[in-house]
Amino acid sequence: MRHTVDISAHPETGAFHNPAAYKGRGAVSNMSGRFEAEKRGVFNDGWTGPATAEQGAVQLKTQLYQELPKQVLTKNQSPDVPFDRSVNPYRGCEHGCVYCFARPSHTYMGLSAGLDFESKLFFKENAAEVLRADLSRKGYKVAPIAMGTNTDPYQPIEKQLGITRKILEVLLEVRHPVTIVTKSSLILRDLDLLQELARLNLVKVALSVTTLDRKLARTMEPRASSPQRRLDTIRQLAEKNIPVGALVAPVIPALNDHELENILQAIARAGATEAGYILLRLPLEVKDLFSEWLSVNFAERRTRILRRLYAMRGGRANDPRFGHRMKGKGIEADLMRQRFFNSARRVGVNMSEGHDLDCTQFIPPQNPSDRQLRLF
């Protein structure tokens, strides 16, 4: 039976992992996924206190697993997002953002959406090669490919593996438009590719700026770039004439929603020309993981945060209906929309409205099988 969070209840001391046990990680447990035959959890059996020496000694290391997909181009028909296709070089994300809506995808691998999601990572080593084959298919119709829609293409392991860079090299070679969302200043490593793509009107970048509070950012997004580095990244991209915007996501009532106007002002000063926002979503396992994280880090605000969020979601943790899941509904959701629109207009930032990249320059890559046949 799936556990339902009682937002009015306060968990007993010791019901959750000691946060010091997983320094630098977002989730505070490795609770079982919805497909597991057995459910695992941590509870206080009365023999130990809420934080033991053993828990404090835990050092969780990142583990990498190779994945060799036959296709990397994923299609969607959602009216809530301004793209219909995406590429994700990685499964799981070391940034460890506790609120990440992509966490439940790890349960399909028989892993937890909690600590497993941010410490057991899958990399698609052949992603660039497979993408080239996808783009060479007969009848392929060009539209911008979105990167960073599920997990961050510039998470820390990208510095070592360089898969995102290889994908950008393919897209530049075939003159294919791409949009990128990231929380990482590592994107500046690829300025050479991004500048050339921008010169051809083939790229737009958005930095996710969730908060300006460094301490809050470290708690919510432990291995992502600091807020100031994200603003600096926006500034450097803008100085290189690379179209750059910002995404205030997620907006969490009673936690970071009061920063909305300040964030918009900061990203505008840094050089962002577009901005959008997303109300926090808590699908599937993320609901319990986020509630658990609040109990450890913001116990005094937990009930208030969840009650306000549920009110904006029609009494639920997540409203999956198209047209509702990104912005919510109700009086407070309407006020948030008005605040964002008015503040964006005041600082001179446009609302994000899809893409205006050039889709006419595409040069279809030669199909690998065709190249093989020409050898005979």
Side-chain angles (χ1 to χ4, degrees), residues 216-245:
L216 177 59
R218 194 184 306 118
T219 306
M220 283 200 302
E221 310 157 338
R223 299 198 177 194
S225 296
S226 70
Q228 187 56 53
R229 291 195 69 182
R230 295 183 218 183
L231 294 174
D232 289 342
T233 299
I234 291 174
R235 185 174 293 108
Q236 291 186 58
L237 290 169
E239 288 173 352
K240 297 296 183 179
N241 297 315
I242 297 166
V244 59

Side-chain angles (χ1 to χ4, degrees), residues 30 86 106 118 180 187 192 194 196 270-271 289 298 320 353 358 365:
N30 220 22
S86 60
H106 241 47
E118 54 196 272
I180 304 170
I187 191 174
D192 56 334
L194 296 172
E196 186 60 20
L289 286 166
F298 298 95
E353 296 179 355
D358 190 349

Side-chain angles (χ1 to χ4, degrees), residues 323-337:
H324 295 274
R325 58 186 183 139
M326 301 298 191
K327 309 298 183 186
K329 65 177 184 178
I331 295 176
E332 188 170 0
D334 291 341
L335 287 173
M336 185 175 290
R337 273 190 289 272

Side-chain angles (χ1 to χ4, degrees), residues 66-281:
Q66 185 184 64
E67 187 175 349
L68 297 174
K70 294 182 179 179
Q71 276 191 301
V72 294
L73 202 56
T74 303
K75 297 288 187 73
N76 80 83
Q77 297 180 332
S78 170
D80 288 331
V81 292
F83 58 87
D84 69 353
R85 65 201 68 186
S86 60
V87 171
N88 291 286
Y90 304 104
R91 191 192 299 268
C93 186
E94 197 175 6
H95 280 164
C97 306
V98 68
Y99 53 72
C100 183
F101 67 86
R103 283 182 176 273
S105 64
H106 241 47
T107 62
Y108 291 108
M109 311 297 288
L111 298 171
S112 172
L115 291 164
D116 281 348
F117 176 80
E118 54 196 272
S119 64
K120 295 182 178 180
L121 311 178
F122 297 81
F123 63 96
K124 303 173 184 178
E125 188 171 34
N126 63 340
E129 176 187 340
V130 175
L131 177 60
R132 184 188 296 275
D134 288 343
L135 299 179
S136 69
R137 297 183 191 281
K138 193 174 288 187
Y140 176 76
K141 294 183 180 179
V142 181
I145 291 174
M147 298 186 69
T149 59
N150 201 44
T151 57
D152 201 309
Y154 285 102
Q155 59 179 288
I157 58 173
E158 166 63 17
K159 187 174 183 179
Q160 168 191 345
L161 299 176
I163 299 173
T164 296
R165 182 175 176 86
K166 292 175 184 176
I167 289 173
L168 292 180
E169 288 173 344
V170 170
L171 295 176
L172 176 58
E173 175 190 333
V174 301
R175 302 297 192 262
H176 196 293
V178 59
T179 63
I180 304 170
V181 177
T182 182
K183 288 184 173 73
S184 176
S185 60
L186 180 58
I187 191 174
L188 296 175
R189 179 204 62 186
D190 295 338
L191 275 177
D192 56 334
L193 298 176
L194 296 172
Q195 281 184 277
E196 186 60 20
L197 285 164
R199 186 183 69 80
L200 298 168
N201 189 26
L202 293 174
V203 69
K204 291 176 76 171
V205 176
L207 268 289
S208 176
V209 183
T210 315
T211 177
L212 301 178
D213 183 332
R214 187 182 181 92
K215 183 178 179 181
L216 177 59
R218 194 184 306 118
T219 306
M220 283 200 302
E221 310 157 338
R223 299 198 177 194
S225 296
S226 70
Q228 187 56 53
R229 291 195 69 182
R230 295 183 218 183
L231 294 174
D232 289 342
T233 299
I234 291 174
R235 185 174 293 108
Q236 291 186 58
L237 290 169
E239 288 173 352
K240 297 296 183 179
N241 297 315
I242 297 166
V244 59
L247 191 60
V248 187
V251 179
I252 306 172
L255 191 61
N256 71 345
D257 63 322
H258 65 283
E259 296 188 70
L260 202 56
E261 290 80 3
N262 290 338
I263 292 174
L264 285 168
Q265 187 175 60
I267 62 107
R269 286 177 176 171
T273 57
E274 291 186 355
Y277 80 98
I278 298 175
L279 177 66
L280 176 65
R281 298 165 52 200

